[in-house]
Amino acid sequence: MTKNEMVLEYIKKLPEGTKISVRGLAQALKISEGTAYKAIKDAEKLMLVTTIPRVGTIRRKQKEPMFDRLTYEVITNVVEGVVLGGHGGMQMELKKFLIGAMTIEEMVKYITPGDLVIIGNREDAQEAALKAGAAVMITGGFDTLPHIKELADRLSLPLISTSYDTFTVATLINKAINESMTRKRILYVSDVMTPNPVYMTPNQTVKDWKKLYAETKHTRFPVVDSKGILVGMVTSRDVATAYEDDKIGDIMTPNPVFVTDTTTLSYAAHLMIWWNVEILPVTRGKELIGLISREDVIKALHYMSKQPQISEAIQDTIFKDFEMEKIDNGIKFKGKVPSTMINQFGTVSSSALMMLMCETGIFAITQNKRYDAVLDNFSVYFIKPMKMEDVIEISARVIEMSNNFSKVEIGIIHEKEEIAKALMSVRLFKRIKMV
């Protein structure tokens, strides 16, 4: 390990909020100040530390890309702030924030306990906000008076300083609020995966596989090396023609399809259908941390579709003003094109028409509730221009069907003239019956 790597490891272990200086680092680790300076600059690039004017260089917690709860700890990371007081309230959730750009008397009228007040270098306003039950964020990188820090500690109300200006702070917090709300509407692989899965190593044998099968009744196992890195998958198909002494590393499927714990569940479902696999290994970096099955994915997506925070599905939105009619081997929709599908030239957007055709084709296949479908190929023969709110008929006919694939022909008619035509192919999988 180089000196620079040693210093970075030392910085990683420092508690959040610890002040770091070149001289202090050099003395603590008995290194030159030049080495310490370079390590601090590298730590800034790795987002391990942040430098705040009038405060100094601070050990910071690395940001998480997504979060479930918008706590003051998360807010501090979002604004690259440092906690001056009120550490006991860092796990409180943000209710709302307001900007204290007014007189103290007017500001207090708008404060409710649990709020966050964003203030500049105004100690009297900071103290008034804390006494009103609000957390305080000081912009511009300013420090504050000792008795205000003591008040924040006594009330367990976060007192945070950030080098950003008020507008930037408000923008960052608004973005964080939006991400937090989005996170609640989206399921990730980590939400439903089976952690710490049973796995095999390349040096184990088919005999070991059969023993694991007898114990677990599973037929698919991830294969990892000595460092826990995913290197393959072994299934009953791989061992069917192998001898008991054959090594797993010789018969496994190397470089398997996998997902990470931060992959969305819908994307995992798409991969399973595309590659026709029942189970996907889950990694963090390259290390195996879990497994997710097709049944897990489908049940979770089915559950989420019933939750109140989920908005309308795209099919429901774009077809809400259309009437549906079943036709031979397909479906037909009739209605007006909504104004939201108009382009800058005042005609119906060609991409909007393609979306209508694609969704009609998917609906023609999935209407019997036996299959779900994922688009494989979409070929447009032609699209003619069309005015807003014209009445159109979109028809989709299934022209070929097998266990795994289907082809659908889609057309749009306006005033007895065919104005668009396309051919699409999709990959299919049977739905699991919910109990």
Side-chain angles (χ1 to χ4, degrees):
M1 181 182 292
T2 65
K3 283 187 178 181
N4 190 64
E5 290 172 339
M6 179 190 70
V7 179
L8 290 175
E9 286 300 316
Y10 175 81
I11 292 174
K12 287 179 183 178
K13 295 175 182 177
L14 292 175
E16 179 189 357
T18 302
K19 288 189 177 182
I20 302 170
S21 68
V22 171
R23 181 175 297 177
L25 208 55
Q27 290 176 349
L29 298 178
K30 294 182 172 47
I31 56 176
S32 69
E33 291 189 1
T35 301
Y37 176 80
K38 181 180 184 305
I40 288 176
K41 289 300 178 184
D42 288 342
E44 285 182 345
K45 294 177 183 177
L46 295 172
M47 302 180 74
L48 296 174
V49 301
T50 184
T51 301
I52 302 175
R54 304 181 186 91
V55 175
T57 300
I58 304 294
R59 172 69 173 100
R60 57 167 289 181
K61 187 174 180 179
Q62 287 182 277
K63 294 180 185 179
E64 295 292 335
M66 300 296 286
F67 35 81
D68 293 307
R69 298 173 60 244
L70 195 58
T71 64
Y72 282 102
E73 182 178 9
V74 172
I75 290 294
T76 303
N77 292 331
V78 165
V79 301
E80 300 182 5
V82 58
V83 182
L84 304 177
H87 292 80
M90 293 301 290
Q91 294 306 315
M92 292 167 44
E93 289 192 52
L94 174 69
K95 293 183 179 178
K96 74 175 193 297
F97 71 90
L98 57 100
I99 298 171
M102 58 189 82
T103 64
I104 294 175
E105 292 75 15
E106 287 297 317
M107 179 186 73
V108 171
K109 292 179 183 178
Y110 294 97
I111 294 176
T112 56
D115 288 350
L116 172 65
V117 180
I118 302 171
I119 312 175
N121 190 24
R122 297 171 56 199
E123 285 88 357
D124 54 349
Q126 297 163 13
E127 185 175 0
L130 288 169
K131 288 180 177 179
V136 172
M137 181 168 293
I138 305 170
T139 58
F142 290 101
D143 203 342
T144 191
L145 299 175
H147 79 274
I148 295 178
K149 297 179 183 178
E150 293 171 4
L151 177 63
D153 286 333
R154 189 167 67 251
L155 298 175
S156 292
L157 291 170
L159 179 63
I160 304 162
S161 176
T162 175
S163 59
Y164 290 120
D165 58 44
T166 301
F167 175 79
T168 303
V169 167
T171 302
L172 290 172
I173 294 177
N174 270 323
K175 181 181 178 183
I177 291 171
N178 181 63
E179 288 181 357
S180 179
M181 292 173 65
T182 301
R183 177 65 178 83
K184 293 177 181 178
R185 295 196 301 265
I186 299 174
L187 272 181
Y188 291 82
V189 165
S190 59
D191 295 321
V192 298
M193 74 178 187
T194 300
N196 305 314
V198 178
Y199 61 85
M200 301 196 74
T201 63
N203 289 327
Q204 287 183 289
T205 64
V206 171
K207 185 177 180 180
D208 295 320
W209 183 94
K210 291 180 179 179
K211 184 178 179 181
L212 278 179
Y213 169 72
E215 293 172 357
T216 65
K217 300 305 178 186
H218 296 166
T219 60
R220 298 171 174 84
F221 299 101
V223 184
V224 302
D225 64 15
S226 59
K227 296 180 180 179
I229 305 302
L230 178 70
V231 295
M233 282 288 289
V234 60
T235 71
S236 56
R237 184 178 299 176
D238 298 319
V239 304
T241 57
Y243 297 104
E244 287 200 343
D245 293 334
D246 285 348
K247 296 286 184 69
I248 294 299
D250 295 331
I251 65 169
M252 70 180 186
T253 301
N255 303 316
V257 182
F258 67 93
V259 291
T260 68
D261 54 338
T262 56
T263 301
T264 62
L265 212 58
S266 57
Y267 182 71
H270 194 128
L271 283 180
M272 286 177 167
I273 299 164
W274 186 265
W275 294 106
N276 193 28
V277 293
E278 295 288 337
I279 288 178
L280 285 175
V282 183
T283 67
R284 182 176 293 143
K286 295 181 180 179
E287 184 181 355
L288 177 74
I289 61 170
L291 284 178
I292 188 166
S293 71
R294 183 182 293 189
E295 186 172 357
D296 292 334
V297 171
I298 295 171
K299 284 184 176 180
L301 292 175
H302 175 80
Y303 167 78
M304 284 302 292
S305 69
K306 303 300 181 183
Q307 299 309 299
Q309 70 267 31
I310 303 299
S311 58
E312 290 181 297
I314 188 169
Q315 294 95 334
D316 299 329
T317 302
I318 64 177
F319 289 120
K320 63 182 179 181
D321 295 325
F322 283 76
E323 296 179 357
M324 186 188 77
E325 176 188 346
K326 288 187 177 182
I327 58 177
D328 291 341
N329 298 322
I331 203 83
K332 179 191 288 185
F333 287 98
K334 183 177 181 179
K336 287 185 179 181
V337 178
S339 58
T340 52
M341 293 186 175
I342 302 305
N343 61 23
Q344 70 271 30
F345 303 113
T347 59
V348 178
S349 165
S350 57
S351 58
L353 285 177
M354 285 190 284
M355 180 177 64
L356 283 171
M357 288 192 288
C358 184
E359 292 303 323
T360 303
I362 294 289
F363 197 91
I365 295 168
T366 60
Q367 62 173 316
N368 60 14
K369 309 299 182 184
R370 289 182 57 210
Y371 290 99
D372 276 323
V374 170
L375 180 65
D376 183 28
N377 184 275
F378 189 81
S379 301
V380 179
Y381 297 132
F382 62 87
I383 295 180
K384 296 180 181 179
M386 187 174 56
K387 301 190 300 295
M388 179 179 66
E389 295 190 344
D390 278 347
V391 176
I392 60 173
E393 290 183 358
I394 314 168
S395 60
R397 285 184 171 84
V398 178
I399 59 176
E400 188 177 321
M401 194 84 165
S402 66
N403 289 333
N404 298 317
F405 288 92
S406 181
K407 285 187 178 180
V408 186
E409 190 175 63
I410 310 118
I412 299 181
I413 295 176
H414 170 59
E415 294 182 349
K416 298 183 179 181
E417 179 188 3
E418 193 168 40
I419 60 170
K421 191 171 184 178
L423 180 69
M424 67 183 292
S425 59
V426 299
R427 295 180 183 245
L428 306 174
F429 70 97
K430 290 184 179 180
R431 293 184 178 178
I432 293 177
K433 187 176 181 181
M434 299 297 163
V435 293

